[in-house]
Amino acid sequence: MNDAAPAPTSASAPEPRSRARVRAPELRGRSWINTGGEELSLADLRGRTVILDFWTFCCINCLHVIDELRELEERHEDTVVVVGVHSPKFVHEAEHAAVVDAVERYGVAHPVLDDPELATWKQYAVRAWPTLVVIDPEGYVVAQHAGEGHVHAIERRVTELEAEHEAKGTLRRGLAPFTPPEPVAGELRFPGKALVLPGGTFLVSDTTRHQVVELAADGETVLRRIGSGERGLADGAAEAARFNEPQGLALLPDGEVLVADTVNHALRRLDPATGAVVTVAGTGAQWWQGAPTEGPAREVALSSPWDVAWFAGRVWVAMAGVHQLWTYDPASGTVAVAAGTTNEGLVDGPAAEGWFAQPSGLAVAADGSRLWVADSETSALRWIERQSAHSGEDAEKSEADEPTDGGGFVVRTAVGTGLFDFGHRDGPADQALLQHPLGVTALPDGSVAVCDTYNHALRRYDPATGEVSTLATELREPSGAVLAPGAAEEADGAPEIVVVESARHRLTRLRLPEDAVRVEGVAHRTRRAATEVAPGALRLDVVFQAPAGQKLDTRYGPATRLVVSSTPPGLLAEGEGTGTELHREVRLAGAEGTEGVLHVSAMAASCDEEGEYPACHMHQQDWGVPVRLTAGGADRLPLVLAGLDS
């Protein structure tokens, strides 16, 4: 259990806290990555603290945790071994080669177990991406945390375990069994997005190499590199500036370029003439619940901006890390939330009430009336438009309209149904399926091309007919596309498009076919099995124990919040809504065999017990739990936010 431990003194090690003695299950999966071909077992790691990081590479919160863990790994390199357990959501994520690519793409510097059948996930009863499990040097589970923002608590536990097991003689120091991949030559490495400059050259975010690269009109010849290539946040001249996994690029009206510097949680302004870079939005720290959502751009934190586009007089930002769209106004130097609630899912309506799930691509319609959105985790194509546009009033609004903070806009869905359904299927939009799209491109005829990333395809949605078709296949993780210079003036109806093939590390030029193919593909659901629960009453328990040295922060009101909803909405007969307790009795409606998803969002605020200015911490996680009503199923659903379920 997570009872508070006595404060250690300088003369003695901290006393071991009482805790459940649960032996950690063995690590089982298909194969290991980053170990030089060696297979690892918990016995091989005995004597060191092991942190299991259950992740999947589509998940932005999982990528946040990988970055959070970097400093902890460095500070405790001889006593801690982080093991990534890759547990896929999408079919593509079960491909071993794709996992190997993702490990390199995101700079994962520890062993990774590829577990496509979720064997280890099930053994540890994990219910959410990401989940962190701490195993002590004797092989017992001592803590579990869902979501991000827990590294401060885990590091304190790690320090305690070091002292405790040093005193017991059960600590074994040594470097983690990590073998990095061999460097690969090439002009680009996992590029993200591209932009055509006025002179006809291409600007490309070379994501894994932390640079922005200008290519000649052939899309291959490197003209210059902007950024030192070292991970970091630094302004300055082209050769000195530093980025951290940059993604989206947008041309501003004044001719300069805005860069979504994703892992720096910042927007950077790039002068194409000189290559100089300056930060214009973000603090360099990640936004957390309760932080400001508008104000001076350099004073407000952002969260993994993935793409940017100039629309309705401002820059719109796909804020993947918090499932929202924000705006940045260069004239006033301010940012503000424009759409989304931070709840993860697919809900249309007024922009401020809509739900998104990791928006990752933006494009403005040819007539300026819509902002297309690739909403990756719902495998959806969405759009933003003015409230009046859908009813036909002032439908021809252009991006020259007066600036807006998102008021008067609505969000709508063209393709996609929610977090768990995906596939490759063409036809009427209400039946068509995508798989984790990352990019959108407006075409001259008013239709939109979708980089259907995990289907390795370029798809097309035509608003005039409501049909989805396939333009090209056998691409490799296309993540963005731009019309080739002059494509908008093509008279033969078949303009060229340049696709960022991220996993082939190149730009690929395609001539769009006049007659697209139609794929009668299969539908998929997320790989997680549904949890069997009994019809009727269900006790929902979110487990949260404040980490050692912390207490619930009730200075400004309740320290916890629980939000519960369902898909379909009728699944919950009682218990929907927001409350301040982390447990709730809900009632499920439906006959035996009914399936749906319980959406649970929990938050707990804690602060340090000691210090003149105690630090405060926010713990938050969103769960989407697939359930099936079954006679004899569980009548309690525990979800661990932090601690161990007793």
Side-chain angles (χ1 to χ4, degrees):
M1 306 297 293
N2 270 352
D3 301 324
T9 67
S10 59
S12 63
E15 296 178 13
R17 73 183 67 198
S18 61
R19 53 179 173 262
R21 299 289 286 175
V22 179
R23 176 67 70 178
E26 190 50 83
L27 306 178
R28 304 192 185 282
R30 175 168 54 193
S31 59
W32 287 87
I33 303 167
N34 277 356
T35 64
E38 179 185 356
E39 293 192 2
L40 301 180
S41 68
L42 287 177
D44 298 327
L45 306 176
R46 194 65 48 80
R48 282 169 284 182
T49 298
V50 177
I51 301 172
L52 301 183
D53 175 17
F54 289 87
W55 69 297
T56 186
F57 64 76
C58 71
C59 165
I60 190 66
N61 310 92
C62 299
L63 303 185
H64 290 166
V65 168
I66 289 171
D67 288 310
E68 288 177 359
L69 288 170
R70 293 187 198 279
E71 291 186 7
L72 183 151
E73 291 179 86
E74 293 175 3
R75 284 194 291 267
H76 301 271
E77 63 178 0
D78 64 339
T79 61
V80 171
V81 178
V82 176
V83 174
V85 182
H86 189 268
S87 313
K89 171 184 175 180
F90 290 100
V91 169
H92 171 59
E93 292 177 300
E95 298 175 14
H96 181 68
V99 182
V100 172
D101 279 351
V103 168
E104 180 189 351
R105 182 195 299 266
Y106 298 115
V108 179
H110 50 247
V112 173
L113 174 63
D114 181 11
D115 183 21
E117 300 301 325
L118 306 184
T120 298
W121 167 288
K122 295 171 185 174
Q123 286 277 71
Y124 283 82
V126 174
R127 295 185 183 274
W129 295 283
T131 291
L132 295 168
V133 176
V134 181
I135 302 171
D136 74 10
E138 293 180 294
Y140 292 93
V141 174
V142 295
Q144 182 171 330
H145 302 266
E148 49 186 301
H150 299 292
V151 170
H152 62 279
I154 291 175
E155 181 149 26
R156 179 169 181 139
R157 175 57 68 87
V158 163
T159 302
E160 292 176 353
L161 290 171
E162 286 175 354
E164 174 186 336
H165 289 273
E166 186 90 80
K168 291 174 64 176
T170 50
L171 185 71
R172 179 168 62 90
R173 295 181 181 271
L175 296 180
F178 167 61
T179 303
E182 291 292 329
V184 180
E187 302 294 4
L188 302 173
R189 199 67 186 166
F190 298 107
K193 307 287 185 183
L195 172 71
V196 178
L197 292 175
T201 59
F202 295 92
L203 210 57
V204 183
S205 54
D206 196 9
T207 304
T208 299
R209 291 188 174 142
H210 314 296
Q211 293 179 317
V212 175
V213 178
E214 185 177 3
L215 301 178
D218 61 9
E220 299 178 3
T221 305
V222 173
L223 300 178
R224 59 175 170 166
R225 294 183 177 275
I226 300 168
S228 69
E230 295 293 324
R231 185 189 295 268
L233 176 58
D235 292 341
E239 64 277 5
R242 289 190 176 190
F243 297 97
N244 198 343
E245 298 182 23
Q247 286 284 346
L249 306 164
L251 191 65
L252 300 179
D254 63 5
E256 296 206 341
V257 172
L258 200 68
V259 182
D261 196 5
T262 304
V263 178
N264 277 328
H265 311 295
L267 302 180
R268 319 289 296 281
R269 191 177 183 108
L270 188 159
D271 183 349
T274 65
V277 176
V278 62
T279 303
V280 295
T283 64
Q286 184 182 341
W287 184 91
W288 290 101
Q289 286 286 352
T293 56
E294 62 180 347
R298 289 302 313 275
E299 299 175 16
V300 177
L302 309 180
S303 183
S304 296
W306 206 275
D307 203 6
V308 282
W310 182 262
F311 174 65
R314 291 188 180 177
V315 175
W316 286 61
V317 184
M319 204 70 75
V322 286
H323 317 299
Q324 290 180 312
L325 302 182
W326 288 40
T327 58
Y328 162 62
D329 181 5
S332 64
T334 57
V335 293
V337 173
T341 64
T342 75
N343 290 324
E344 184 178 12
L346 192 154
V347 175
D348 290 344
E353 301 172 15
W355 290 24
F356 295 89
Q358 221 168 291
S360 301
L362 301 174
V364 180
D367 64 0
S369 63
R370 291 179 175 180
L371 179 68
W372 293 105
V373 182
D375 201 27
S376 62
E377 279 293 281
T378 53
S379 297
L381 173 64
R382 320 278 298 276
W383 81 86
I384 295 284
E385 66 183 1
R386 291 189 183 275
Q387 184 85 42
S388 59
H390 194 66
S391 62
E393 302 173 22
D394 300 325
E396 298 302 318
K397 293 282 186 180
S398 74
E399 60 182 89
D401 291 333
E402 66 178 81
T404 175
D405 59 1
F409 280 78
V410 293
V411 55
R412 306 193 189 280
T413 299
V415 182
T417 60
L419 286 165
F420 300 99
D421 295 291
F422 57 92
H424 189 164
R425 186 167 65 199
D426 289 331
D430 61 354
Q431 300 175 27
L433 293 170
L434 309 170
Q435 187 180 179
H436 198 79
L438 290 178
V440 283
T441 307
L443 300 179
D445 64 358
S447 65
V448 58
V450 181
C451 287
D452 194 5
T453 309
Y454 288 1
N455 280 327
H456 311 299
L458 188 67
R459 312 284 293 282
R460 177 178 179 263
Y461 167 67
D462 185 355
T465 64
E467 291 283 319
V468 175
S469 56
T470 297
L471 297 170
T473 58
E474 299 184 3
L475 301 169
R476 188 67 183 171
E477 292 193 15
S479 56
V482 292
L483 290 172
E489 289 76 40
E490 291 279 353
D492 60 3
E496 287 189 334
I497 193 169
V498 177
V499 179
V500 181
E501 277 198 273
S502 188
R504 282 203 176 106
H505 320 292
R506 70 186 188 190
L507 302 188
T508 298
R509 187 181 296 259
L510 302 172
R511 179 166 288 275
L512 296 177
E514 294 186 26
D515 297 315
V517 299
R518 177 165 173 159
V519 175
E520 302 289 351
V522 296
H524 301 288
R525 300 207 82 209
T526 181
R527 300 179 65 84
R528 284 187 294 170
T531 298
E532 294 189 346
V533 296
L538 176 71
R539 181 177 173 85
L540 184 64
D541 281 329
V542 173
V543 178
F544 177 78
Q545 292 138 13
Q550 296 179 28
K551 61 182 179 181
L552 287 175
D553 184 3
T554 58
R555 292 173 297 170
Y556 308 108
T560 57
R561 185 186 70 175
L562 181 65
V563 184
V564 181
S565 62
S566 67
T567 303
L571 179 65
L572 273 177
E574 297 176 12
E576 184 174 5
T578 302
T580 58
E581 299 290 334
L582 291 182
H583 58 84
R584 186 176 303 177
E585 297 285 344
V586 303
R587 182 166 293 276
L588 303 177
E592 186 173 352
T594 298
E595 294 191 356
V597 179
L598 288 178
H599 301 282
V600 182
S601 177
M603 182 182 72
S606 65
C607 60
D608 294 345
E609 292 179 323
E610 299 178 353
E612 184 178 358
Y613 302 102
C616 296
H617 313 280
M618 189 67 69
H619 314 262
Q620 183 177 8
Q621 174 61 17
D622 296 331
W623 292 268
V625 184
V627 296
R628 180 184 301 111
L629 302 191
T630 306
D635 60 4
R636 175 178 179 264
L637 179 61
L639 300 172
V640 176
L641 179 60
L644 293 173
D645 181 25
S646 59

